[in-house]
Amino acid sequence: MSRIKPRTLSGFMELLPNEQVYFEKMVEKLREVYSLYGFTPLDTPLIEASEILLAKGGGETEKQIYRFTKGEHDLSLRFDLTVPLAKYVALNYGKLTFPFRRFQIGKVYRGERAQRGRFREFYQADIDVIGDGSLDIINEAEIPGIIYRVFTELGLHRFVIRINNRKVLNGLFEILGVADRAGDIMRTIDKLEKIGREKVFELLTGDCSMEKDSAERLLNLLACEAEPIAALGEYKGQNKTFDLGVSELETVAKYMSAFGVPSENYKIDLTIARGLDYYTGTVYETMLLDHPEIGSICSGGRYDNLAEYYTDKKLPGVGISIGLTRLFFVLQDQNYLNPELPSSPADAVIIPMTEDLAPAISFATQLRGLGVKTQLYSENKKFKQKMAYADKIGAQFVVLIGEDEIREGKVTAKDMFSGSQVSASPAMIAAGIAEAVNKKAGITPIKEPVE
Amino acid sequence: MSRIKPRTLSGFMELLPNEQVYFEKMVEKLREVYSLYGFTPLDTPLIEASEILLAKGGGETEKQIYRFTKGEHDLSLRFDLTVPLAKYVALNYGKLTFPFRRFQIGKVYRGERAQRGRFREFYQADIDVIGDGSLDIINEAEIPGIIYRVFTELGLHRFVIRINNRKVLNGLFEILGVADRAGDIMRTIDKLEKIGREKVFELLTGDCSMEKDSAERLLNLLACEAEPIAALGEYKGQNKTFDLGVSELETVAKYMSAFGVPSENYKIDLTIARGLDYYTGTVYETMLLDHPEIGSICSGGRYDNLAEYYTDKKLPGVGISIGLTRLFFVLQDQNYLNPELPSSPADAVIIPMTEDLAPAISFATQLRGLGVKTQLYSENKKFKQKMAYADKIGAQFVVLIGEDEIREGKVTAKDMFSGSQVSASPAMIAAGIAEAVNKKAGITPIKEPVE
C-alpha cells in the first residue's frame, strides 16, 4: 500500500516520552499551587463562535486567528484564555460567587510565523480573580506571593518579580502634561534596558516631543534603582490618580513579606507598563536573573473591565499568565531540566521467569497498591534483552521471579542504578522499593544549572 | 457600546465550577491509575495535516471532521487519539522503546448532529501498549485489571467487563462456512439483547442466508450464558484461528483473579465484536449493570497493525478508550456524582477583622503550607455578607482574626458544616483544619446511588 510520510506540523510542540514527564510535572505543580490559593479549575472549549472571540476586534488578533466555517457556523480557535473567561463570566454571572477565582491551563492558537521557540499551539496557565463591581487591593498584593510559590515549587529561585502600578504612570504623565503621548512615551521607556538612557532621552525629546526638563525628570524617577516609592514622594498631592497609585503600590509592597516573598525575589520597577489600554492598577513581570534576554515568563496585572464586550456589569479583576510551552522550551534549551527527576514510565519492571505468570502478576498488584509504577515484561525475548528493556526505559528496579524464588517464597530485586541485588520476601522487597520511590517524590522538575 | 450576547457553542461541554471539580477529579484518578500500570503520558497537537488524519479515508470520518485551511496548509482537528498515536509512533519509531505503553487524555472533535448527551468536542482517555513486530498475550490479559482499577478508583463497582476474542469469532465463521458474511452476521448478533433470539434467528436465516442448522448452532454457542469457554470445546481442532483464539481467551480468563478482577466484574461474552476490520484478538466492553442502556463506557481490543498508513513496520497493540465527556454527562445525569466530594475552591476562608492584614496573610501562608486550600476574603462588605460568601462557595472553615485574637495570639475557626466554633493558637487551628481536610482526600468523585 502507498504510505503517507508521518510528520507533525511546524510550530506545534510534540515531546518525546521522557520530556513529556517534565512538562506534566510542571503542569501538576501549577495546578497544586493555584488550588492552594483557592482558585477553582475551569475548562472552556477550544472552539468558540468567531463573533465571541473577535468581539474586541483588532489587527494582530484577526490576522493570527485560526478561523473557519463548519456547516453554517463561523468558528475560531481561542487565541488566549482571557476572552473565553470573559464570555464564561458574563454567561454564568448569576451562578458564580464573586470574587470569582479561577485557574485555567490549556492550549491556545496563534498562526504566527514559525520560528525557533515560537509556537502556533501553546499552553497558557492563567489565574484571575474577578470582582463584582469592586475588588480589594489585597488581591493585587497576593499575586506576587503566588508567582513566588509557583516558581520555587518548580525549582526556580533566581528570578525577580517586577511590580509597578499603572495609576502611578498615568498620574505622572498627567502631572508632566504629556498624557496625550503616554503610549509613545511608555514604548520608549520600555527600551531603556536595550538602548540605554541617552538614546531614550533623545527619543523622548525628539519623537515624543517632551520638554527636555520633563524628560529629564521622568527618566530620573523611572530609572531610579533605590527606593522608588520614596522617590515618588516628591510628586504627591498634585494628582488624584497618581496618589492612589502610590498608595496601592505601598500596600502591595508592605505585604510582600507577609505573603512570603523574600526581598531578593521582587522589585518595584517604575518602568514596566504591560500594554496600554487593558491594565489599570498593579502590573507584574517576572524575569529569570540568569536569562533576562528571555523576557518576562509570567506577566499580568489589574484591569477594570473583564467582559465589557458581553455585559454591562462592571467586572474588575487581576490576573497573571504563564506561557508554559515557551517557558518549557526555554528551560529545556538552557539546560534547566532536573536530571534527578524520575522520568521513566516505570519505577519497577517485573520479569517473570516461569511459565505460570500468576506470582509475577500478584507482585505487580502488590507494588501498584503501594504507589509504585510497575510494568510486567513477559515478551518472548532473551534474558539479556529483557534487562536491556528495563535499562532503556530507565526503570530503577528490576524484579526477577523464577522457580527458585517461588519455591522459597521470595522475589529478587535488582537496583539498576546502584547495581545491588537482593532476594527477600515479596512484602519486604515491595516495601523497600516503595520507600526508595517515595523518597524521590519531592524532586522538582527544574533545577538551575550551577554556573 | 454595542454588546455581543455571550454564548457557548452547542455540542461543547462547559461546566460550572463545582461540576468541573468532579471532572478534574476523574481525570486525576485516570492519570494516577494509568501511571501505576507503567503508562507514560503523551500530548500530541489538536491540529494535524489533513493528509495525516485522513490517511485511512472513509466516509463518516471525512464528513464529521473539522477541516480548514490556514495560509496554504490543509489542516484538521483530530477526531480520535489513535491516529495521532499511529503518526507519533511511526515518526519516533527509532527513539521509542517497545513495548511502548502510553496514555493520553485529551479533546477530540467530531461535527456530529448536536443532540442531548452527544458532544462535538469531547475528551477521550486512551491507553495503548504497542509492540514492535510482536506483543505477548499478557498485555491483553492485563487490560481488564486496569479497567477494573480505573472504575473502582472512580467509585463505580456495579459494572461488568465483557471479554471476547475476534479469532474465536472469525474461526467459527470459517468452520460454519459463513466467513464471507461475517460482518452482516455480527451486526445481527449484536441485536440479540435488543430484539431477542427469535428475531435474530429470522434475520440470520433470512438477510444473512445462513442454513437453519448453522444459525441454530451459532446462536446456541454465542448466547450461552454459563461456561462459554467450555462450550467452545466442541469446535476445537477444526480451525487454527479458532483454536488460537480459544487458547488466548483461556489465558486471559485464567489471569483475571491474579490481576485482581473479581468474578462478578468480568464475563466472557462471545457476542461482542467491536467493529469489523480493526481488532484481531481480545476485545473488551464495559457496561454499567444499572444502566445497560448507556452502552459500553470503556471499550477496545487487540489490533495487528497500528500504523500501516505511515510505516511498513508491523506494530501490533492493545488499547482501550473511555469517552470521558459522555461518561461524565451520563453519570451526572443519573445522579452518580458523590455529594461528599469536597468541590469548593477553598477549604478555609480567612476573614481579617483588623486594618493590618499581616496576621491574616501569615495564617493563610501557614494553612497553605499544610496543603489546605485557602482564600483570604477582605472585600469591603458587611460581616454577614462575608460569612455568606464562605457559605456560598461551600468552604468548610471560616477563620476570623480580629483585635481580640491578635492580642491573645489566637485565631477563631468556625466549622460551617457542624456550626461549632473554637479559638486557639494558630498552629493548633491550622493542624485541626489540615486534619479534617486530609480525612476527605480519599473520597471518590462517583458514588452509585442506593436504589
Side-chain angles (χ1 to χ4, degrees), chain A residues 10-12 111-120:
Chain A
S10 94
F12 289 69
E112 292 194 78
R113 223 162 55 86
Q115 48 179 311
R116 188 165 188 281
R118 286 281 160 195
F119 298 92
R120 289 170 174 163

Side-chain angles (χ1 to χ4, degrees), chain B residues 3 46 75 120 290 336 358 383 428 451:
Chain B
R3 297 210 161 80
L46 278 102
L75 307 173
R120 290 170 173 163
D290 299 321
Y336 274 59
F383 181 72
M428 285 218 5
E451 298 295 307

Side-chain angles (χ1 to χ4, degrees), chain B residues 175-187:
Chain B
I175 293 170
L176 296 174
V178 293
D180 57 328
R181 280 153 283 166
D184 289 340
I185 294 173
M186 277 316 305
R187 272 187 290 274

Side-chain angles (χ1 to χ4, degrees), chain A residues 24 31 65 70 88 123, chain B residues 15 24 31 43 65 70:
Chain A
E24 301 286 320
R31 298 180 61 84
I65 202 165
K70 174 83 181 165
Y88 183 91
Y123 277 92
Chain B
L15 300 171
E24 302 285 321
R31 298 180 61 87
D43 183 20
I65 203 165
K70 174 83 180 165

